[in-house]
Amino acid sequence: MEGRDPKNGKRERTAAVVLAAGRGKRMRSDVPKQYMLLNGRPLICYALKAFQDSFIDEIVLVVEAGEEERCRKEFLEPYGFSKVTAVTAGGKERYDSVANGLKKVSPDCGYIFIHDGARPFVTEEILKRALETVREHKACVAAMPVKDTIRIADENGFSLSTPRRDRVWLMQTPQVFEAGLIRAAYGRLLQEADSLAAQGIPITDDAMAVETLLHHPVRLFAASYENIKVTTPEDLITAQGFLKRIDPFREKS
């Protein structure tokens, strides 16, 4: 059973914090991207279904303030997402939204998966790989090696340097942590956010919070090039193409 540690056989509770509080300005739409239809279903439903059908024990959904009841009535109840134990409001910044979600996770959960709701193609295989990795390293992030050569530009747009391609990875989600570790990191972050901003130290994801504030290493594990984040209209077209090959709702209907 995925929820048991193979080393000691103990049952481990796992939780997912799914973020769906952004406005998605780059989508150039009046409809928040998480509610946009993908193959006739709201985008957010794909990520929720992946966690619902997996070994994850509970899901906390973070939405824009004021949208909580709408999400319950339009997404959770109709699609039977019974593992969603809480719907809570997001905050001004991403880290505020994550912090709000963490507050709703049961205190007995051992590992917490933090996932962008706009990544509809997270799979059971990715989640299993994440669990195996976090058991060993306490902190891990889904990622993929870049395919193209990356250039670092100077302030004027001229090529400055070229990092080794085998050392450059594209960050994805889920980002997964031992519960105590990520709670400690966010406790520090909420206290020090203004000071970090004044120093020009941005904390753009959960891994950075753990690395910067707790100095704990974060392991990268290979996920999938299909685990895209739907951010622009072009991404929607790509996602629709993926669904022609595999649609989780159609497969298990």
Side-chain angles (χ1 to χ4, degrees):
M1 182 183 295
E2 287 300 327
R4 293 189 182 278
D5 188 327
K7 294 182 180 179
N8 56 33
K10 291 183 178 180
R11 181 75 172 88
E12 303 167 303
R13 282 190 61 81
T14 54
V17 174
V18 179
L19 305 173
R23 293 298 301 173
K25 295 179 181 178
R26 283 175 287 179
M27 189 59 73
R28 301 192 297 274
S29 171
D30 293 333
V31 179
K33 63 183 177 184
Q34 57 267 27
Y35 304 148
M36 297 182 75
L37 296 184
L38 181 61
N39 223 27
R41 297 180 179 86
L43 176 65
I44 184 59
C45 290
Y46 290 87
L48 290 174
K49 182 169 176 59
F51 287 106
Q52 173 73 31
D53 293 346
S54 76
F55 58 85
I56 293 291
D57 294 294
E58 64 181 73
I59 304 167
V60 174
L61 178 60
V62 184
V63 300
E64 188 175 5
E67 293 288 323
E68 297 93 332
E69 192 58 30
R70 173 189 178 183
C71 287
R72 290 189 183 94
K73 291 183 177 180
E74 294 187 14
F75 310 141
L76 304 187
E77 294 173 7
Y79 288 96
F81 294 134
S82 58
K83 288 185 180 180
V84 178
T85 56
V87 181
T88 191
K92 180 180 179 182
E93 304 292 343
R94 183 187 186 277
Y95 65 80
D96 293 312
S97 294
V98 174
N100 289 352
L102 291 175
K103 293 175 184 176
K104 298 295 184 179
V105 173
S106 297
D108 61 342
C109 277
Y111 298 110
I112 299 176
F113 292 60
I114 302 172
H115 187 68
D116 293 325
R119 290 189 187 272
F121 299 112
V122 62
T123 64
E124 176 87 3
E125 182 180 352
I126 291 173
L127 298 180
K128 288 179 179 179
R129 205 174 303 147
L131 183 59
E132 292 172 359
T133 307
V134 76
R135 280 171 174 159
E136 182 175 358
H137 299 283
K138 298 186 179 181
C140 66
V141 175
M144 289 301 290
V146 299
K147 298 179 181 180
D148 302 318
T149 297
I150 302 297
R151 296 274 184 168
I152 305 299
D154 64 17
E155 63 273 13
N156 297 313
F158 288 94
S159 179
L160 185 63
S161 64
T162 306
R164 286 177 49 179
R165 189 166 59 184
D166 63 339
R167 298 290 181 88
V168 182
W169 289 58
L170 297 171
M171 294 298 98
Q172 300 179 350
T173 64
Q175 301 194 1
V176 190
F177 307 90
E178 189 178 69
L181 186 71
I182 193 62
R183 291 185 191 278
Y186 267 89
R188 289 276 303 275
L189 179 55
L190 292 178
Q191 292 178 347
E192 301 179 22
D194 291 341
S195 174
L196 291 168
Q199 298 174 62
I201 304 175
I203 302 295
T204 57
D205 68 0
D206 317 297
M208 286 187 68
V210 169
E211 292 168 332
T212 303
L213 298 169
L214 301 183
H215 307 291
H216 192 288
V218 176
R219 176 76 172 187
L220 306 181
F221 71 92
S224 169
Y225 287 113
E226 292 185 355
N227 186 28
I228 63 170
K229 186 176 183 180
V230 176
T231 303
T232 68
E234 293 78 14
D235 296 330
L236 268 179
I237 295 172
T238 300
Q240 289 165 353
F242 289 160
L243 285 177
K244 291 179 180 178
R245 183 170 54 82
I246 179 171
D247 184 334
F249 286 94
R250 182 177 63 243
E251 285 191 339
K252 297 181 181 181
S253 61

